[in-house]
Amino acid sequence: MHGNPMPDSYVYVTEEGVTRHYADGSVEALAWEDVVEVRVVTEPGADVLYILLDRDGEGCVVPRSATDATFLARLRYLPDFDLDRLTVAAESVHDGVVVVWRSPDPPSALPDLEYD
């Protein structure tokens, strides 16, 4: 077979939310109205991950390589979202997780998550 291989996953961004479809058929989805936290995960040599979480700590992992202007523009609708803070965190050379936005009315605590 010729051509590009099947991607590991792909992401859809709509006015209602964001959905990531994995090659194994699994799906992560989150409505924008349910997003209470946005995290950035960086590791040298790996794709930057944007983690969108709901009140229960469930959410959607979005690789930066799968984002476009639509995703970034939609993040700006979150109350007081700072796109510059997201950019700085995503360009960090350090390993780690940075919370770049939290809802003005967040849950008391969100779990620490493990990332692949």
Side-chain angles (χ1 to χ4, degrees):
M1 179 187 249
H2 298 285
N4 294 331
M6 178 84 157
D8 290 336
S9 66
Y10 52 95
V11 175
Y12 288 114
V13 177
T14 67
E15 288 297 314
E16 290 77 35
V18 61
T19 305
R20 181 176 180 187
H21 295 264
Y22 290 86
D24 68 2
S26 61
V27 176
E28 293 175 343
L30 189 60
W32 290 114
E33 65 188 26
D34 295 332
V35 176
V36 298
E37 189 169 286
V38 178
R39 299 177 183 181
V40 174
V41 179
T42 57
E43 293 180 21
D47 198 359
V48 172
L49 301 176
Y50 301 124
I51 313 297
L52 308 177
L53 297 171
D54 67 11
R55 292 187 177 283
D56 297 323
E58 298 293 322
C60 190
V61 177
V62 180
R64 180 169 59 180
S65 62
T67 65
D68 60 13
T70 304
F71 178 75
L72 297 175
R74 187 56 189 87
L75 286 174
R76 291 181 184 163
Y77 285 102
L78 297 172
D80 299 320
F81 189 85
D82 185 347
L83 195 55
D84 291 333
R85 181 174 167 93
L86 177 81
T87 302
V88 168
E91 293 175 357
S92 172
V93 295
H94 304 290
D95 287 358
V97 178
V98 176
V99 174
V100 295
W101 179 82
R102 190 170 281 145
S103 169
D105 183 30
S108 56
L110 287 173
D112 290 331
L113 303 174
E114 296 288 325
Y115 305 102
D116 295 332

